[in-house]
C-alpha cells in the first residue's frame, strides 16, 4: 500500500449479524487511476463501496482518504469529504429526486461545496451538463421525462458537480441497453481523460470493466481474490474464479462458444457460513485438500499482480520465485506461498459441464 | 428446415394509450421447428417481448390489439376462443420470464406452483402431481428436489428460482418454450449453467426454443437462428454465423460494435449508435433505423423488404445497400473478427 | 416465538402505562373537572369538601394520586366518583353488547367490503366500478350518528320495523338480540365497507400487475383461479393489518357513536358517558381496556401476517 494512495481500505471487515459481507479486504486506489471492481451478487462489492464512502461503519478496519482516517471525522469534515468523494448509483431512476428539475439536481451539490459561491453557477451547471452530453433543454426537464441513458448522465453530472477527486460508480451501466451502455462507457472514458478524476468502477460485467479500467480487482464472497493491471488480468488470469468469470461471459462470436470452458457447479456460497479454507474451493476445478484447510494468502507476483490461490495459473516460475505475501493479505490467511504454477495436467476436472 | 411447430405471420401488436396507438410490433414473421432454437434480439422497446406475449395470448384484449396469424401445428391461435388459448398456454406452449423472484408467487410453495400447472391441464391426483413436481425439479438439475419442492421462492437462490420456472414450464411437455430474457437477472456464472440446461433440454425433449434477449453473447452460445428486431420490425435474420460474422444491416453492426468484448483488444472508444430509438407512438414509415443510420440514402425512406441479398438463402435483411457497399462500409471488421467472404 | 410474546407483553405494559398516565394528566389539567365538587355536591360546605378531598386523596400530590388509582385498577376496586359504581363491573356489563355489535358488524363489513372490492377490481374503469366507487365515497362520508339517527327515525318510528334501540342479551332472547342489532350493525359497518372496498380494489389492481400473476396466466390457469389464488390471496394481506386495528379499536369501545345512538349500553357508551361527566376512574378503566385490545390485536395481526406472507415471518 503506497502512501500516495488516494483512497485506501485497510483490513476492512463488515458483518451483518452472521453474514460476513466483507472479510479483511485491503485495497488502495492511486490518484488518477480508474480501478474496476468485479464480482457477482453477494461478493461484497457494494458493501465495500459504501464503506469506502463512509456510508456505513465497518465492524473492523480503516478507510483512509488522502491519508486521513475517515472514521474519526467530525460533521463538518465529513460534509467536506462529500465534496471530494462522490458516487454514481445503478438505479438512476431511484436515486434522482423525481420532483426536481435536472439542472437543479446538478446545481445543488455544486453550490453546497463550492467556495466560489453562487457566481456563474448557472453557467457552470450548463457546462457540466454539456460535458456529460445533455442539452440545456434537457436540463430543464424532470428525471422521468428523460430516457434511462439520459438519467444516468444526470447521475454522473450530479456526482461530478462538486468537483470531487474520486467518484465511485456502482454498476453504472448494468441496467442499460447495449447501445446506450456504449455511449455511457465512452462518456466515462472521456471524463476520465478530461477531468483527471479518479474512478472506482463497480460492475459484474468484465467487458464493461475492461473498457474503462486501468486496474481490476476481483471479489468473491467477501474477499479480494485477485488484483491486476487490466491487460494482465485478461491475458493471464491467476485465480480460477477470474478464469471462470472470463469463460462464463457469453461471447458474441458463434465460433468461440464451441471451445471447452469451465462451467462452475453449484451456487456461490453462503456468506453467513462460508466454506473453510479457501472460500472458493467447493466450486473450484483446481481444488486440493490444502484448499479446504487453509485460506490462501494474497500473494504479490510482481508488476502489480496479486492473487490468493494455492494453485495459481498464469504465473511463470520466475514470478513464483519472486512472490511474497502482500501486505494487503488478510490476517486470517496462511502465509504459505504456492510452490508451483498450476498446470491443467494436474487436476482431473476442467471442462466438465455443470452439475449441481 | 424441418416442418415448423410454430409459425407466426405478419404479427402486429398495438397498445391503446392516451396518446393514441403505440405500435410495438409491426409485421413480424418467423417459424421455429422442433429441436431448434430461435433467438430474437433487440434492445428495450423493439417489440420482442410484446411479440412473445402476443403469441402466448397474455395481452389484455382491452389494452392491446393483436393481428396476424399464429399457428401452432395445424391450429390457428389468434382467432381461437379464450378457453382454447388457455388450454394451449402452459400446455403445448410455455413461457419462462426474466426475473424469477417476482415471477413466482411469493406466498406459495414452489411445489404447489408446479402442481397447479399440472392440475390445470390434466386430471391428476395431488400425490401424483407432487411426485411429478419432484421429478421435474430433478430434470432441471436441482440438487435436492424432494426438499426444494416445499420451499418458498425467497428461500432459494436466483439460479434455483430460474430452474424452478423452467421446471414449471416443462410440466406439461410443451412443444414450444419461449424464454424471455431468462438469464438477464442472474449472475454470469449461473447464467452459463442455465444456458447449458436449456440447450440440453432442447436436445432431450425435442423442444422448440424461442429465446428473447438483448445479450448477443447468449445468442451466439445457443441459437440456431437469429432475428434482429428494431422499432417493431425484423431488420435482419439468419444463422449466428451469418449474422455475427457477415452482418448486413447497419443496426446489427451498431449492436455488435457497441459490446465491450473480452475476446478482442480494447477499443479506445466503443462505436456507439447515436440518438435514441423511435417512439412506438410515432413509428417511422420507411426503414426504421434511417434516422440513426450513418449510411442512410434517399431510398431508405421507403420500407425495404426483408429479403436475402447477401447470397445465403436463409440470411435476409432490410437494407437496400448492395452487399459490396455494406462490406466496405462496415467499420467493425477488425473489432469483431468478421469474415469478409467473397 | 416465546421471545416475540415476551417482547409484546413488555410493550403492552409500557403502552398501558403511557395511556393511563396521559389520561390521568389530561384530566387533572382540564378545567371544570374538579371531582370534589361533583362528589360533594354543588352546595356542599367547605368542611364537607375538605373531608371529601381527604377521603379521596385529592389533597395529595399527583404521583401519589396516580399510584393510588393504579392500585385500584389492579385490585379491581376502581370506583366512579359521583355514583360510587365499580368501574370493572360496569365494563364487564357492557362487554356483551359491544362484542355483539362489533363482531357482527365485522363479519358484515369484511364480507361486503371484500365483495365490493373484488367487484370493483374485476370491472375496473367500467360502470360497476364507478357505481361502487361512488357508493363507497358516500358510505365513508356519511356521519355515523346521522345514519343511525335516520335509520331510527324511518325504520323504528315512522314505520315500526325494528325496535328503537337498546340491547337484548343473546341468551335471553335470540330473536330480540338479532332485531335489536340489525340496524346498529348496518350503521357501524357502512363506513368500513366503503373503506375496505376501496382499499381492496387498489390492492387487487396492484397485485394484478405483478409478474407472478402474469406467470399464473402463462401457466394456463383459469381466470377465476388466477384471481382467487394469486391476486386476491396477495391483495388481502394489507387488509389484514387494517382489519386488525379497526377491529381492535372497535371492540375496545371505539364504536362510541353507534352505541350511543342506539343506546346499547356497551363499553363505548359507558366511556362516552364518563368523559361527558368528567369522571376520571371510568375513563381510566375504559382507556386501559381499549389499549389492551389494540395491542393484542396488533400482535395477532403480526402473527397472521407472517403466516400469510412467508417472507415476513415473525422472528421467535
Amino acid at each position: 500500500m503506497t502512501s500516495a494512495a488516494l483512497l485506501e481500505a485497510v483490513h476492512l471487515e463488515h458483518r451483518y449479524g452472521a453474514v460476513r459481507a466483507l472479510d479483511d479486504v485491503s485495497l488502495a486506489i492511486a490518484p488518477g487511476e480508474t480501478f474496476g471492481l468485479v464480482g457477482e451478487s453477494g461478493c461484497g462489492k457494494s458493501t465495500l463501496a459504501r464503506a469506502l464512502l463512509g456510508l456505513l461503519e465497518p465492524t473492523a478496519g480503516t478507510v483512509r482518504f488522502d491519508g486521513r482516517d475517515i472514521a474519526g471525522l467530525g460533521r463538518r469534515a465529513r460534509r467536506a469529504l462529500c465534496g471530494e468523494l462522490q458516487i454514481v448509483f445503478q438505479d438512476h431512476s431511484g436515486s434522482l429526486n423525481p420532483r426536481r428539475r435536472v439542472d437543479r439536481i446538478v446545481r445543488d451539490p455544486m453550490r453546497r461545496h463550492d467556495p466560489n459561491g453562487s457566481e456563474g453557477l448557472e453557467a457552470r451547471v450548463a457546462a457540466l451538463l454539456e460535458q456529460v452530453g445533455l442539452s440545456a433543454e434537457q436540463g430543464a426537464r424532470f428525471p422521468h421525462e428523460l430516457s434511462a441513458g439520459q438519467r444516468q448522465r444526470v447521475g454522473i453530472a450530479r456526482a461530478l458537480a462538486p468537483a470531487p477527486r474520486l467518484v465511485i460508480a456502482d454498476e453504472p451501466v448494468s441496467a442499460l441497453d447495449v447501445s446506450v451502455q456504449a455511449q455511457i462507457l465512452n462518456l466515462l472514458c472521456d471524463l476520465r481523460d478530461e477531468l483527471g478524476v479518479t474512478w472506482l468502477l463497480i460492475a459484474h460485467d468484465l467487458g464493461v470493466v475492461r473498457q474503462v479500467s486501468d486496474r481490476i480487482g476481483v471479489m468473491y464472497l467477501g474477499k479480494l481474490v485477485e488484483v491486476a493491471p487490466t491487460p494482465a488480468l485478461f491475458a493471464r488470469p491467476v485465480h480460477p474464479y477470474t478464469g471462470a468469470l472470463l469463460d462464463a461471459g457469453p461471447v458474441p462470436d458463434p465460433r468461440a462458444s464451441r471451445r471447452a470452458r469451465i462451467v462452475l457447479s453449484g451456487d456461490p456460497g453462503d456468506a453467513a457460513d462460508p466454506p473453510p479454507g479457501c472460500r472458493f474451493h467447493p466450486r473450484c476445478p483446481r481444488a486440493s485438500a490444502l484448499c479446504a484447510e487453509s485460506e490462501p494468502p494474497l500473494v504479490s507476483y510482481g508488476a502489480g499482480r496479486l492473487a490468493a490461490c494455492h494453485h495459481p495459473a498464469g504465473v511463470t516460475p520466475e514470478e513464483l520465485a519472486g512472490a511474497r505475501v502482500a501486505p494487503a493479505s488478510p490476517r486470517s490467511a496462511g502465509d504459505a506461498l504456492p510452490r508451483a504454477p498450476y498446470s491443467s495436467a494436474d487436476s482431473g476436472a476442467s471442462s466438465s459441464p455443470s452439475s449441481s | 428446415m424441418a416442418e415448423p411447430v410454430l409459425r407466426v405471420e405478419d404479427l402486429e401488436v398495438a397498445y391503446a394509450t392516451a396518446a393514441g396507438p403505440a405500435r410495438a410490433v409491426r409485421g413480424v414473421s418467423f417459424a421455429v421447428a422442433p429441436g431448434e432454437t430461435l433467438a430474437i434480439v433487440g434492445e428495450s422497446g423493439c417489440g420482442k417481448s410484446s411479440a412473445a406475449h402476443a403469441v402466448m395470448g397474455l395481452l389484455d384484449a382491452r389494452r392491446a390489439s393483436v393481428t396476424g396469424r399464429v399457428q401452432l401445428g395445424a391450429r390457428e391461435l389468434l382467432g381461437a376462443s379464450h378457453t382454447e388459448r388457455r388450454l394451449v398456454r402452459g400446455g403445448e406452449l410455455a413461457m419462462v420470464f426474466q426475473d424469477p423472484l417476482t415471477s413466482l408467487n411469493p406466498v406459495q410453495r414452489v411445489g404447489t406452483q408446479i402442481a397447479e400447472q399440472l392440475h390445470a391441464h390434466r386430471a391428476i391426483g395431488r400425490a401424483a402431481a407432487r411426485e411429478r413436481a419432484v421429478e421435474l425439479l430433478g430434470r432441471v438439475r436441482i440438487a435436492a428436489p424432494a426438499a426444494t419442492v416445499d420451499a418458498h421462492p425467497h428461500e432459494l437462490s436466483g439460479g434455483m428460482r430460474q430452474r424452478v420456472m423452467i421446471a414449471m414450464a416443462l410440466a406439461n411437455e410443451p412443444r414450444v418454450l419461449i424464454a424471455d430474457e431468462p438469464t438477464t437477472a442472474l449472475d454470469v456464472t449461473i447464467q452459463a449453467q442455465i444456458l447449458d440446461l436449456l440447450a440440453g433440454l432442447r436436445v432431450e425433449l425435442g423442444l422448440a426454443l424461442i429465446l428473447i434477449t438483448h445479450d448477443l453473447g447468449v445468442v451466439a452460445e445457443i441459437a440456431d437462428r437469429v432475428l434482429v428486431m428494431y422499432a417493431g420490425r425484423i431488420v435482419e435474420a439468419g444463422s449466428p454465423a451469418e449474422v455475427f460474422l457477415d452482418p448486413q444491416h447497419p443496426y446489427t453492426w451498431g449492436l455488435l460494435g457497441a459490446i465491450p468484448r473480452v475476446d478482442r483488444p480494447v477499443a479506445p472508444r466503443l462505436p456507439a449508435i447515436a440518438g435514441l430509438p423511435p417512439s412506438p407512438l410515432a413509428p417511422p414509415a420507411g426503414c426504421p433505423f434511417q434516422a440513426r443510420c450513418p449510411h442512410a440514402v434517399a431510398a431508405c425512406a421507403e420500407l425495404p423488404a426483408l429479403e436475402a441479398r447477401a447470397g445465403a438463402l436463409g440470411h435476409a435483411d432490410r437494407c437496400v445497400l448492395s452487399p459490396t457497399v455494406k462490406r466496405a462500409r462496415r467499420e467493425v471488421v477488425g473489432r469483431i473478427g468478421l469474415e469478409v467472404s467473397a | 416465538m416465546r421471545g416475540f410474546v415476551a417482547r409484546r407483553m413488555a410493550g403492552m405494559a409500557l403502552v398501558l402505562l403511557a395511556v393511563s398516565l396521559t389520561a390521568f394528566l389530561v384530566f387533572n389539567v382540564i378545567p371544570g373537572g374538579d371531582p370534589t365538587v361533583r362528589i360533594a355536591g354543588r352546595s356542599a360546605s367547605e368542611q364537607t369538601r375538605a373531608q371529601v378531598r381527604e377521603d379521596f386523596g385529592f389533597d395529595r400530590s399527583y404521583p401519589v394520586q396516580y399510584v393510588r388509582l393504579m392500585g385500584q385498577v389492579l385490585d379491581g376496586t376502581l370506583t366512579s366518583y359521583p355514583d360510587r359504581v365499580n368501574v370493572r363491573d360496569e365494563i364487564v356489563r357492557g362487554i356483551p353488547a359491544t362484542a355483539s355489535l362489533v363482531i357482527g358488524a365485522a363479519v358484515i363489513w369484511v364480507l361486503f367490503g371484500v365483495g365490493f372490492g373484488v367487484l370493483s377490481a374485476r370491472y375496473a374503469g367500467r360502470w360497476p366500478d364507478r357505481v361502487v366507487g361512488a357508493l363507497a365515497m358516500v358510505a365513508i362520508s356519511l356521519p355515523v350518528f346521522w345514519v343511525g339517527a335516520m335509520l331510527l327515525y324511518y325504520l323504528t318510528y315512522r314505520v315500526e320495523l325494528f325496535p328503537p334501540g337498546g340491547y337484548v342479551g343473546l341468551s335471553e332472547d335470540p330473536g330480540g338480540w338479532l332485531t335489536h342489532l340489525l340496524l346498529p350493525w348496518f350503521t357501524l359497518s357502512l363506513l368500513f365497507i366503503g373503506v375496505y372496498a376501496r382499499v381492496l380494489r387498489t390492492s387487487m389492481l396492484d397485485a394484478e400487475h405483478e409478474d407472478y400473476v402474469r406467470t399464473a396466466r402463462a401457466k394456463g390457469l383459469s381466470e377465476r383461479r388466477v384471481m382467487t389464488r394469486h391476486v386476491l390471496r396477495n391483495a388481502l394481506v394489507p387488509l389484514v393489518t387494517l382489519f386488525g386495528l379497526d377491529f381492535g379499536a372497535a371492540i375496545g369501545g371505539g364504536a362510541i357513536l353507534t352505541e350511543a345512538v342506539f343506546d346499547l349500553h356497551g363499553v363505548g357508551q359507558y366511556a362516552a358517558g364518563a368523559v361527558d361527566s368528567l369522571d376520571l376512574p371510568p375513563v381510566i378503566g375504559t382507556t386501559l381496556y381499549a389499549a389492551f385490545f389494540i395491542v393484542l390485536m396488533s400482535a395477532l395481526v403480526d402473527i397472521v401476517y407472517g403466516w400469510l406472507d412467508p417472507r415476513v415471518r415473525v422472528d421467535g
Side-chain angles (χ1 to χ4, degrees), chain B residues 15 57-66, chain C residues 208 217:
Chain B
Y15 296 103
L58 289 173
L59 296 176
D60 189 341
R62 288 173 298 181
R63 269 173 275 229
S65 86
V66 178
Chain C
E208 219 181 321
R217 291 209 172 97

Side-chain angles (χ1 to χ4, degrees), chain A residues 56 155 254:
Chain A
L56 65 76

Side-chain angles (χ1 to χ4, degrees), chain A residues 6-349:
Chain A
L6 184 57
L7 183 61
E8 272 183 271
V10 183
H11 296 297
L12 216 50
E13 197 181 293
H14 193 74
R15 294 177 182 236
Y16 298 103
V19 175
R20 278 179 257 181
L22 283 180
D23 200 346
D24 208 336
V25 173
S26 303
L27 191 58
I29 302 174
E33 82 167 327
T34 300
F35 190 95
L37 192 60
V38 177
E40 297 179 298
S41 47
C43 72
K45 54 195 197 294
S46 285
T47 311
L48 181 59
R50 290 206 181 81
L52 288 173
L53 281 168
L55 287 178
L56 65 76
E57 213 177 290
T59 46
T62 334
V63 175
R64 288 198 204 112
F65 183 75
D66 219 4
R68 297 166 300 171
D69 185 344
I70 69 170
L73 294 179
R75 267 185 45 199
R76 192 169 300 168
R78 182 58 70 102
R79 221 177 301 151
L81 187 67
C82 292
E84 303 198 65
L85 191 52
Q86 276 286 325
I87 182 164
V88 178
F89 294 99
Q90 169 183 8
D91 182 7
H92 33 81
S93 19
S95 63
L96 298 177
N97 188 337
R99 299 198 202 293
R100 303 216 77 203
R101 276 165 45 154
V102 161
D103 47 13
R104 305 265 185 275
I105 292 177
V106 173
R107 189 192 64 181
D108 288 345
M110 202 182 265
R111 183 160 55 178
R112 204 175 307 131
H113 292 278
D114 198 330
N116 296 342
S118 33
E119 299 170 19
L121 200 59
E122 299 294 336
R124 273 181 284 138
V125 169
L128 182 55
L129 285 177
E130 198 186 314
Q131 205 165 23
V132 301
L134 292 171
S135 68
E137 189 265 325
Q138 286 160 336
R141 293 203 210 152
F142 290 88
H144 65 267
E145 294 170 336
L146 299 177
S147 72
Q150 288 164 338
R151 282 198 293 268
Q152 194 60 307
R153 292 173 195 268
V154 175
I156 294 172
R158 179 183 61 181
L160 293 174
R165 290 166 63 193
L166 189 146
V167 179
I168 300 183
D170 191 354
E171 305 268 14
V173 295
S174 59
L176 302 175
D177 277 328
V178 158
S179 55
V180 181
Q181 179 175 299
Q183 294 173 6
I184 299 295
L185 286 176
N186 285 341
L187 174 63
L188 290 178
C189 285
D190 289 342
L191 291 172
R192 174 194 61 185
D193 298 333
E194 285 166 34
L195 298 176
V197 173
T198 308
W199 290 91
L200 171 60
L201 179 65
I202 299 175
H204 61 263
D205 186 323
L206 273 172
V208 163
V209 154
R210 184 190 190 214
Q211 188 66 26
V212 193
S213 315
D214 302 314
R215 271 197 313 151
I216 297 181
V218 181
M219 283 187 74
Y220 183 77
L221 219 56
K223 289 209 172 278
L224 198 57
V225 298
E226 184 162 356
V227 181
T230 307
L233 190 91
F234 285 87
R236 299 190 293 149
V238 177
H239 196 282
Y241 180 60
T242 312
L245 274 184
L246 280 172
D247 276 358
V251 165
D253 187 340
R255 296 165 301 187
S257 58
R258 309 294 168 226
R259 77 201 182 289
R261 59 167 193 186
I262 314 168
V263 176
L264 294 177
S265 58
D267 293 314
D270 189 354
D273 185 20
C278 171
R279 295 202 174 184
F280 186 62
H281 85 260
R283 303 173 82 193
C284 185
R286 317 207 280 245
S288 68
L290 177 61
C291 303
E293 284 166 15
S294 113
E295 193 184 321
L298 193 60
V299 172
S300 163
Y301 294 100
R305 297 169 73 208
L306 305 172
C309 181
H310 289 304
H311 306 289
V315 287
T316 64
E318 296 78 41
E319 286 166 329
L320 206 59
R324 68 187 63 85
V325 176
S329 182
R331 295 192 175 114
S332 55
D335 51 11
L337 295 169
R339 306 237 192 81
Y342 175 79
S343 81
S344 47
D346 289 344
S347 160

Side-chain angles (χ1 to χ4, degrees), chain B residues 155-316:
Chain B
E155 294 167 354
L156 305 174
S157 72
M160 285 180 78
R161 283 193 289 262
Q162 193 59 296
R163 289 174 197 270
V164 166
M165 284 227 58
I166 295 174
M168 226 161 52
L170 296 177
N172 292 305
E173 276 137 26
R175 295 161 75 184
V176 180
L177 178 64
I178 304 180
D180 190 353
E181 308 267 14
T183 55
T184 306
L186 303 174
D187 281 330
V188 127
T189 51
I190 307 296
Q191 188 170 317
Q193 293 175 7
I194 298 292
L195 287 178
D196 250 26
L197 174 66
L198 284 174
L201 287 171
R202 184 193 51 177
V203 170
E204 270 175 57
L205 304 172
L207 267 183
L209 179 64
I210 299 179
L211 180 65
I212 297 173
T213 179
H214 65 265
D215 188 337
L216 289 172
V218 166
V219 171
E221 286 273 317
I222 74 174
D224 298 312
R225 266 184 79 69
V226 183
L227 299 178
V228 181
M229 277 187 74
Y230 183 81
R233 296 199 196 275
I234 298 177
V235 296
E236 185 157 0
S239 73
E242 287 161 356
V243 173
F244 284 89
L245 302 176
D246 190 20
Q248 296 293 306
H249 196 280
Y251 177 61
T252 316
W253 307 341
L255 265 192
L256 287 170
I259 303 172
R261 314 268 300 231
V262 296
D263 60 332
R264 298 270 174 267
V266 180
R269 283 183 79 74
L270 289 168
I273 313 175
L276 291 171
S279 155
L281 288 169
C287 168
F289 192 58
Q290 189 185 7
R292 300 168 78 189
C293 181
H295 312 283
V297 295
C300 302
E302 211 175 286
L303 179 69
L306 184 66
E307 46 187 44
R309 302 162 210 262
L313 261 181
H315 188 184

Side-chain angles (χ1 to χ4, degrees), chain B residues 53 56 58 62-63 86 89-91 93 95 97-99 102-108 112-114 116-117 120-121 152 154 165 168, chain C residues 122-124 126 208-223 225 229-230 233-234 237 308-313:
Chain B
H53 283 65
M56 284 289 289
L58 289 173
R62 288 173 298 181
R63 269 173 275 229
R86 185 168 69 74
R89 249 199 327 260
L93 189 56
M95 190 157 174
F97 298 94
Q98 176 173 341
D99 187 350
T102 58
S103 296
L104 290 172
N105 191 333
V107 305
Q108 255 185 342
T112 316
Q113 299 190 45
I114 300 179
E116 204 180 19
Q117 180 155 8
H121 288 268
H152 287 100
H154 66 277
M165 284 227 58
M168 226 161 52
Chain C
R122 172 98 176 73
Y123 295 101
R126 294 184 296 177
E208 219 181 321
H209 288 123
E210 293 285 340
D211 286 347
Y212 57 82
V213 173
R214 176 182 59 177
T215 305
R217 291 209 172 97
K219 294 202 293 198
L221 302 181
S222 68
E223 193 59 22
R225 197 172 166 96
R229 276 298 219 105
H230 293 265
R233 170 75 174 69
N234 284 276
V237 178
L308 283 178
D309 187 348
R311 292 173 292 184
V312 181
R313 280 275 134 93

Side-chain angles (χ1 to χ4, degrees), chain C residues 82-95:
Chain C
D83 52 12
R84 326 256 27 213
V85 172
N86 184 294
V87 170
R88 187 178 65 180
D89 292 342
E90 280 300 301
I91 291 181
V92 166
R93 270 216 316 182
I95 287 181

